[in-house]
Amino acid sequence: MSDRSRLRLVVLRVLIVSLLLTLLGRLWYLQVLAGPQYARAAADNQVRDIIATAPRGEILDDKGRPWARNKTALVVSVDRLALQRQSDGGTQVLHRLAHVLGVSYADLYPRTELCGKGGLPHGCWNGSPYEPIPVTQLKDDRRSTLLALQILERKEDFPGVTAELAAVRHYTKPLGAYATHVLGNLAPITPDELKKLPLAEQAARLRDLVGRQGLEQQYDIFLRGRAGVTQVAVDHMGGVTGTLKQTSPQPGDTVVTSLDARVQATLESALAGAVHNARQLGKAGFGGPADFAAGVVLDVQTGHVVAMGSYPTYDPSLWDGGRIDAKAYDRLRHTPGNPLLDKAYQSAYSPGSTFKLISTSGLLNDGMASINGTYQCSPSYSIGASSFRNFEGEAFGAISLHTTIVKSCDTVYYGLAYHDWLRDEALIRQHKKPVEGVQHIARDYGLGTPTGIDLPNATVGHIADRRNQLLRWKQTKRNYCLGAKRRKPGDILKAYDQEYCTDGWRFNPGLQLIEDIGQGSVLVSPLQLAVAYSALANGGTVFEPRIGKAIVSPSGRVVKRITAPVRDHIPLSRADLDYIRTAMYGVTRQGGTAGGAFIGFPFGKVDVGGKTGSAELGLNRSFTSAWFASFAGLAGQKPRFCTVIMVDKGGVGGTVAAPAVRKVWDTVFGVENHRAAFPTGKPPVKLPATSRFGNGVPTTGNATSGSGASPAALGPVGWPLPDLPPAVLARSSWAALGSGRWGAVS
Amino acid sequence: MGSGQLTDWSTPRTAPYSLRRRESLRERALDRESPLRRLDWVLMLAVLVLCAMGAMLVWGATKPQNLAAGIDPNAYLKKDILNVAIGLALGAVAAMVDYRTIRAYAPVVYLASFVGLVFVLVHGVTVNGSHSWVRLGAGFEVQPSEFAKIAIIVVGAMLLGERADGADAPENRDVWLTLAATAVPVLLILKQPDVGTVMVVAFVVFGIIAMSGVSARWIVGILVVAMAGALVIMHLHLLQQYQIDRFTSFTNPKADTQGAGYNTHQARIAIGSGGLFGKGLFHGTQTNGQFVPEQQTDFVFTVAGEELGLVGAGLIVVLVGVVLWRGLSIAARAEDAFGTLVAVGVVCWFAFQAFENIGMTVGIMPVTGLPLPFVSYGGSSMFASLLAVGLLQNVHMRTRS
């Protein structure tokens, strides 16, 4: 052998030894240095949590009628990873699926996209990308079932698509009542919410629907129940090789509310009727364009809400299954009157003359007015150069407070307010605190303060006083001062801006005057006004209103009774309160501002008091909002209920709002040929029987998978089959409904 | 015929072999000149331990899944042992026939492998995208390309080892001839396509040529042409998408742990989670969960990594090292150029295939479908590898110490 070859053999020897040493070094790194990390990865690889969602608790009305419950539905899910593995990214399959389901591809596609990409506010999936994404649920009718079977039978046409049984939220609309805003809705848990949960809970709640808005949000912790987790060992295909740990799901508790479906249905139709009526009447007939309406019915003795709603509203079953159709949601957002907002508790408006009873309370309490005095009701009231007109220029001469309330004379209040203001200014000059008696008692009544109701996003409203005026001026003067500078000479608003820029902090006498008649910057929600009027009706007790009445466990045990806490007592004498209440009974009688609306009402059976309001809106006061706040009870008994109805730009309270309230009373007490919601004149005290099996919808299992596994749907395990035609059940492919790879787990 | 009495006295020591008395089997085995005594026992032992470990690992990879599927849990083990037995018999034959006789018949071997490669293109079956198998019936399949490696080694060694008396290096004509003789089977294998085997063959032929003593210009020239060829292949997009995917997932393993990188990711988890001493045979979770595909064949090393740990996996690397070291020693001591080049060819084959196979499982080489010699399950590979060991032994036995 040549030396050259010998040398090259040595080179080859060295090369081979170094290659093998490289392998040993790499093994050392993988198995010793990075070993623990890979050991963890191996452990994660083979364990999957299968989540069995707990059936959500029901929401019932005061007599046990369900507002929200669960139903079994066939949910069509799409496996995103499986779609992505297809050559066209699953476009063809989704097109086919859209065709079968009868929806457009443009509708279907966004639902399979992950949230957080931007530009997909609705319908996108914010769960794990490794899980089947539910794209639609089918009704439990025959057609839908056949549809599901069609998908399952043509598996080769729909790779990555499954249809499975699942419990979905269902809003039942008892007696046609919506109560949409009060109930709220569900939505998938957001990644941020998930991050805030303890680590141990995160996996189990990954696909959770959580309450958003309304009672669903407020009582979410009770309604939610506890998901069951089955930890299984799996192989590389996601096939189960054994069960490691198992906890079964605990259904959520039932929330019994004080909402009465019959009264709610009446209130909703009364609101729609009032809006319709106002538009029909037009401005000439004391109506108006009526953008929206809202109303509340309270139990004045307990502080519970009997009905609450606003118009326009929308069908709560749009939220069935915890997800709203993106198109439908968009349509709602662009509907005039914003049906997504509940005007009864989520926003505040000028209450107009209904506020006069609050003013009266304050003035009586301060001694600025007396139930024995007489007051001048002139067509207008002047302070310096400013003149404040009476509504419609009416005048009644020297009258008592009673007549002032019955006729709703503004100028009497102007006079009282001006003297109130003068006294406060005198105190200020003496470096003492102003009394601001009307503002104080308004807050006692719950106006301008949080109501404390068991609903999220309730408005606080606003009560004008010297401090608020200063605060607001500080916050807003910049824009006004800019306006004063930049507006063209001759612009009316230029002078207005200039005045506000320099003197906007001043609490002018005019502000006090219009405050006492419930206009200007007094803003209250119908719910707040109802709480205040309940106090007038029940002798001065101000409640934090409650909708929930009790939490009942699935086994029927009462977990918690919910009572409305008393937040305040109105510091008025019984005589003063009785006087005001008597005046309110006068309002509904002939000669009162709501007399016309209650002609022919059987006062012998049901006694009704109230106060109208017609709050002027806009700079030129072209529209008024119609209010009627009223209480009623069986004749000879204490007043039991309070109803407030407001029709925005609806015209005059006595003409538009009061007739709507009358319809509510008809139903509540069962007069004027109506069926009584409460024949005894009182809401039921006893809790209704909760349905133990009515909500017994199967738990549906979902697989949460870590990295490296092909996700698979968990078939339904061990629960009753839904009502399907026997022919369908008999077909062999029924088994396919549950034959995911997880099907063997139980 | 009774031996001994008739010839005991009449046959002198100097008589021709055929006239000598027939020795007993035991005597023959213990004779200084006997093939058994002249075997390279270290090499043999290393190969046998590798085969035994291979059988165990194949068992470990297949028993749990076979149990789950309700098939005989030991089916693969039995077949692997059978493969080893057949391979050892083939190797014994290859060792017994004097390698100089084999050299004489090299063209016949070459022709036979050519026929096999053509046959597979016409009548072969496709497994994992490669048209590389010929079905023999009774559940047996052979992969002619495995045997083609031996044919190429023998022919290459013959062409480059045959030189004018006293010459140190083959003539250029012989090198060209070798390249031409290699090109034919390589093109046929590329047609299957089996890129892995082509790479093995390329490395083997390069090794034989380099070791034959040709001038450095040849070595540099071949390397330059190879690199240029690689560039052309890249630029003309001659590679299949899956091959590109494998390569990108090799250069960036975290890129796609679900798709092309899935195998290597899971393989690394299997090996890494084994730690120092492993999880014990049949106790690997990655193995039992079948997270690593092709685990009894191409990825068999992951079973060693997971169930036997660094100790077991390291032992395999060391044993492969012993085989290669002994192979090189045999090459260095061989009496003629043919013997040296055959041994070098076999060493290059085993070295490349072992490094590529283990390298891909630990993530330092791109994925190609090459089995680990002696360890991976698979008849053709086992037969060819043991045949090659037989050739090494053949050269060793006929080297005067």
Side-chain angles (χ1 to χ4, degrees), chain A residues 1-2 4-5 8-9 12-13 16 19-20 23-24 26-28 30-31 35 38-39 42 45-46 234-236 708, chain B residues 168 210-211 213-215 219 258 266 271-272 275 285-286 289-291 305 310 321 324-325 328-329 331 340 362:
Chain A
M1 184 183 286
S2 66
R4 196 191 268 170
S5 294
R8 287 181 189 167
L9 264 181
L12 185 59
R13 225 181 256 270
I16 285 172
L19 285 181
L20 295 179
L23 290 181
L24 286 176
R26 176 68 176 173
L27 278 176
W28 172 264
L30 282 181
Q31 301 193 287
Y38 282 111
N45 237 350
Q46 52 160 0
V234 294
D235 64 14
H236 68 301
Chain B
D168 261 358
M211 221 51 65
V214 293
S215 71
I219 298 174
Q258 290 298 314
Q266 294 298 339
I271 294 174
T285 54
Q286 288 283 102
Q290 301 175 49
F291 287 93
L310 180 62
L324 299 177
W325 187 270
L328 285 173
S329 299
T340 301
V362 297

Side-chain angles (χ1 to χ4, degrees), chain A residues 135-217:
Chain A
V135 288
T136 189
Q137 67 211 18
L138 306 167
K139 295 188 199 84
D140 47 3
D141 59 9
R142 192 191 174 86
R143 196 193 145 267
S144 299
T145 307
L146 293 177
L147 210 64
L149 288 173
Q150 199 181 345
I151 292 170
L152 289 165
E153 277 173 347
R154 289 164 54 199
K155 267 205 153 99
E156 63 284 358
D157 285 348
F158 298 103
V161 180
T162 52
E164 50 175 345
L165 282 176
V168 299
R169 199 57 159 169
H170 175 49
Y171 299 97
T172 49
K173 299 176 277 181
L175 304 175
Y178 281 1
T180 309
H181 304 102
V182 176
L183 296 174
N185 57 268
L186 301 180
I189 194 164
T190 65
D192 284 345
E193 287 170 322
L194 207 58
K195 259 183 248 156
K196 284 185 202 135
L197 292 171
L199 214 62
E201 272 183 46
Q202 288 189 3
R205 298 203 48 201
L206 197 60
R207 284 186 68 177
D208 242 17
L209 293 170
V210 294
R212 291 248 189 288
Q213 311 177 55
L215 295 172
E216 293 274 31
Q217 179 180 337

Side-chain angles (χ1 to χ4, degrees), chain B residues 223-238:
Chain B
L223 285 177
V224 167
V225 169
M227 272 186 237
L231 278 176
V232 167
I233 286 170
M234 297 251 245
H235 277 273
L236 295 184
H237 305 288
L238 292 177

Side-chain angles (χ1 to χ4, degrees), chain A residues 381 388-390 410-418 513-514 517:
Chain A
Y381 186 84
F388 296 86
R389 266 176 356 101
N390 214 354
D410 291 346
T411 44
V412 170
Y413 287 98
Y414 292 151
L416 292 169
Y418 186 52
L513 262 61
I514 61 169
I517 62 158

Side-chain angles (χ1 to χ4, degrees), chain A residues 232-577:
Chain A
V232 293
V234 294
D235 64 14
H236 68 301
M237 294 293 285
V240 175
T241 57
T243 304
L244 305 175
K245 220 164 67 181
Q246 192 167 18
T247 56
S248 39
Q250 292 172 355
D253 294 335
T254 300
V255 172
V256 177
T257 65
S258 55
L259 284 186
D260 185 88
R262 189 173 297 281
V263 179
Q264 179 73 24
T266 303
L267 177 68
E268 284 171 9
S269 77
L271 293 175
V275 166
H276 183 74
N277 189 29
R279 289 178 187 161
Q280 204 108 72
L281 290 170
K283 263 201 89 176
F286 303 107
D291 293 343
F292 53 81
V296 180
V297 181
L298 290 186
D299 178 339
V300 302
Q301 301 298 340
T302 66
H304 269 110
V305 179
V306 176
M308 180 157 80
S310 74
Y311 177 93
T313 181
Y314 63 98
D315 191 334
S317 60
L318 284 178
W319 283 105
D320 274 8
R323 139 201 296 271
I324 193 168
D325 184 65
K327 249 195 202 157
Y329 191 80
D330 237 39
R331 214 168 31 242
L332 288 173
R333 282 204 313 169
H334 295 109
T335 301
N338 190 7
L340 292 170
L341 185 77
D342 190 349
K343 288 86 184 176
Y345 73 98
Q346 290 178 330
S347 55
Y349 311 92
S350 290
S353 303
T354 56
F355 190 77
K356 282 176 186 162
L357 300 189
I358 315 300
S359 314
T360 311
S361 303
L363 295 164
L364 287 172
N365 191 38
D366 282 2
M368 298 299 294
S370 156
I371 54 177
N372 301 317
T374 48
Y375 304 91
Q376 195 61 39
C377 182
S378 52
S380 68
Y381 186 84
S382 301
I383 306 169
S386 308
S387 170
F388 296 86
R389 266 176 356 101
N390 214 354
F391 186 66
E392 305 290 334
E394 294 168 314
F396 299 99
I399 54 174
S400 66
L401 267 186
H402 181 100
T403 313
T404 307
I405 291 168
V406 171
K407 300 289 184 192
S408 197
C409 175
D410 291 346
T411 44
V412 170
Y413 287 98
Y414 292 151
L416 292 169
Y418 186 52
H419 286 109
D420 193 12
W421 182 84
L422 285 175
R423 181 200 53 181
D424 279 345
E425 291 297 308
L427 285 170
I428 290 167
R429 273 195 299 278
Q430 294 164 32
H431 304 289
K432 286 183 185 158
K433 259 184 94 175
V435 175
E436 297 191 325
V438 172
Q439 286 89 337
H440 267 127
I441 209 149
R443 294 208 175 86
D444 289 344
Y445 273 114
L447 308 179
T449 61
T451 55
I453 190 174
D454 49 349
L455 284 180
N457 310 322
T459 185
V460 173
H462 186 83
I463 293 293
D465 60 13
R466 288 170 178 77
R467 196 170 148 271
N468 279 343
Q469 188 70 17
L470 185 66
L471 281 177
R472 201 168 76 163
W473 176 73
K474 278 183 180 163
Q475 281 164 12
T476 57
K477 70 169 176 181
R478 214 175 145 252
N479 279 339
Y480 286 95
C481 294
L482 272 177
K485 233 187 255 173
R486 294 198 183 151
R487 282 186 203 280
K488 285 185 195 117
D491 190 336
I492 298 175
L493 291 173
K494 188 179 175 80
Y496 179 80
D497 283 354
Q498 183 60 50
E499 190 188 331
Y500 189 87
C501 176
T502 52
D503 294 323
W505 60 274
R506 281 180 203 282
F507 194 72
N508 291 329
L511 289 175
Q512 184 70 60
L513 262 61
I514 61 169
E515 171 146 31
D516 279 20
I517 62 158
Q519 305 211 76
S521 47
V522 179
L523 298 171
V524 307
S525 67
L527 174 68
Q528 286 177 315
L529 196 67
V531 169
Y533 270 60
S534 294
L536 281 172
N538 65 24
T541 306
V542 182
F543 287 104
E544 264 186 23
R546 284 289 178 273
I547 299 174
K549 229 170 133 181
I551 309 289
V552 182
S553 78
S555 61
R557 188 174 57 86
V558 177
V559 177
K560 191 177 163 188
R561 275 253 181 199
I562 302 166
T563 51
V566 173
R567 57 177 288 178
D568 227 324
H569 288 279
I570 300 303
L572 271 189
S573 69
R574 177 177 282 272
D576 286 349
L577 276 172

Side-chain angles (χ1 to χ4, degrees), chain B residues 273-312:
Chain B
S273 64
L276 202 52
F277 298 106
K279 301 172 186 169
L281 195 62
F282 306 125
H283 289 95
T285 54
Q286 288 283 102
T287 301
N288 294 352
Q290 301 175 49
F291 287 93
V292 186
E294 307 289 338
Q295 211 179 4
Q296 70 274 27
T297 57
D298 295 353
F299 282 88
V300 74
F301 190 76
T302 59
V303 185
E306 185 179 29
E307 301 193 342
L308 308 179
L310 180 62
V311 175

